[in-house]
Amino acid sequence: MKPRSANVRRLTDVDFKQVAAASKRLVLVDFMTPACAPCHALAPTVDAIADELVGSLDVFEVDTDASPDTAVDYMVRGVPTLLILRDGKTVERLFGAKSRKVILEAVRKHLANG
């Protein structure tokens, strides 16, 4: 897998609650696994969104194989799953390798409502 954007931070079960769930910004979380082909296909799209919205959106990656507790806590049943969080609570869930347009529409809707 190619290196992620510097604007996408990998989190684990240990630091997820202190970082993503406590963020004051809107949060996009990319739940993935290293063996998931659709996850690899989605990663450049998520990276581009992270780079485009730096400063208004925090973007994180969680490997559900390495951090299963966070996946269970957020009811992630399959990958790739994108969650949009506000104040640690899920405000939108996108399952599968969605297009840049679909992801941006969801994020911008919640940025406007925030």
Side-chain angles (χ1 to χ4, degrees), residues 2-107:
K2 289 183 177 181
R4 298 296 302 250
S5 163
N7 295 312
V8 177
R9 181 173 169 195
R10 177 170 274 196
L11 296 180
T12 66
D13 286 341
V14 174
D15 56 6
F16 187 87
K17 286 183 179 151
Q18 293 102 350
V19 178
S23 176
K24 299 301 176 199
R25 292 186 183 131
L26 191 67
V27 170
L28 177 66
V29 184
D30 178 6
F31 286 91
M32 51 70 68
T33 65
C36 167
C39 298
H40 290 276
L42 181 62
T45 302
V46 173
D47 289 358
I49 291 168
D51 294 343
E52 180 178 335
L53 298 177
V54 68
S56 58
L57 178 71
D58 288 338
V59 181
F60 302 102
E61 173 188 76
V62 175
D63 175 350
T64 60
D65 287 343
S67 298
D69 294 342
T70 300
V72 169
D73 289 348
Y74 282 86
M75 296 183 279
V76 173
R77 305 282 186 244
V79 292
T81 295
L82 297 176
L83 297 185
I84 300 172
L85 308 178
R86 180 175 305 287
D87 301 321
K89 307 251 187 296
T90 303
V91 294
E92 189 144 346
R93 177 182 304 266
L94 302 169
F95 179 73
K98 300 295 184 199
S99 71
R100 182 178 185 279
K101 179 182 177 190
V102 168
I103 299 166
L104 274 174
E105 284 175 355
V107 167

